[in-house]
């Protein structure tokens, strides 16, 4: 199985799941740091959900998934163990942020009618095939055409790994990767900002 194919348990969410719901503001700019922050994912609309997620699970959602701010909500889902998002539609900003970290977010009209929570879903990012392993029903998501920039970025595992690879292919030694301790983040924005 290539790295662009996934099989996992489905978690269902509705329409307009914003980045505020995925990654709450008080977690983004507040006192919660490091891996502890992951347990707050989706807290506002589904308290305790993050503690039930297993590595390899898949989020299925309705329309406009990831709307709202540019905060790194896709990274929070990925760090929690979610392998991909399949939604009726996805905010373009969320989609770009997802691709840049190597986290697939697929647009698949009809997906909320194809699966129920707890189903096992097969997703092939290369072909766009999305198949419910319980019912056998399938759909085709909007794919990322082979050779397109989003496809190449996803294949490389994100924009930074792709750029590093491109530099190395040109014989240029890339700068060392910046490593941040798990609890290091930018300075919080003041409350009255």
């Amino acid at each position: 199985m290539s790295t662009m194919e996934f099989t996992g348990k489905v978690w269902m969410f509705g329409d307009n799941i914003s980045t505020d719901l995925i990654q709450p503001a008080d977690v983004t700019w507040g006192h919660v740091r490091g891996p502890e922050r992951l347990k707050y994912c989706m807290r506002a609309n589904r308290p305790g959900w993050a503690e039930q997620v297993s590595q390899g699970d898949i989020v299925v959602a309705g329309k406009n998934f990831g709307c709202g701010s540019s905060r790194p909500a896709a990274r929070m889902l990925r760090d929690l163990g979610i392998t991909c998002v399949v939604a009726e539609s996805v905010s373009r900003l969320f989609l770009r942020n997802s691709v840049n970290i190597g986290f697939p977010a697929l647009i698949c009209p009809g997906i909320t009618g194809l699966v129920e929570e707890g189903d096992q879903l097969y997703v092939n990012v290369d072909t766009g095939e999305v198949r419910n392993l319980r019912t056998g029903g399938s759909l085709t998501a909007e794919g990322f055409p082979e050779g397109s920039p989003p496809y190449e970025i996803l294949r490389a595992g994100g924009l930074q790994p792709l750029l590093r690879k491109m530099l190395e292919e040109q014989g240029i030694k890339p700068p060392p990767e910046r490593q941040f301790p798990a609890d290091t983040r930018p300075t919080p924005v003041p409350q009255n900002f």
Side-chain angles (χ1 to χ4, degrees), residues 99-121:
V99 168
N100 284 341
I101 63 165
F103 179 75
L106 299 175
I107 298 169
C108 186
I111 186 62
T112 55
L114 182 72
V115 295
E116 296 176 5
E117 184 153 303
D119 283 347
Q120 289 290 311
L121 190 66

Side-chain angles (χ1 to χ4, degrees), residues 108-163:
C108 186
I111 186 62
T112 55
L114 182 72
V115 295
E116 296 176 5
E117 184 153 303
D119 283 347
Q120 289 290 311
L121 190 66
Y122 166 80
V123 177
N124 186 319
V125 176
D126 293 341
T127 64
E129 180 185 3
V130 177
R131 185 170 11 106
N132 184 329
L133 297 180
R134 177 179 60 84
T135 67
S138 66
L139 292 168
T140 302
E142 290 181 20
F144 296 95
E146 188 172 343
S148 68
Y151 178 87
E152 296 303 324
I153 293 169
L154 282 172
R155 270 280 180 210
L159 185 57
Q160 287 186 354
L162 178 63
L163 293 174

Side-chain angles (χ1 to χ4, degrees), residues 73-94:
R75 182 177 303 275
M76 187 172 215
L77 289 171
R78 185 197 67 187
D79 291 352
L80 190 60
I82 299 296
T83 55
C84 65
V85 169
V86 183
E88 297 281 346
S89 65
V90 176
S91 158
R92 290 296 171 187
L93 183 55
F94 182 87

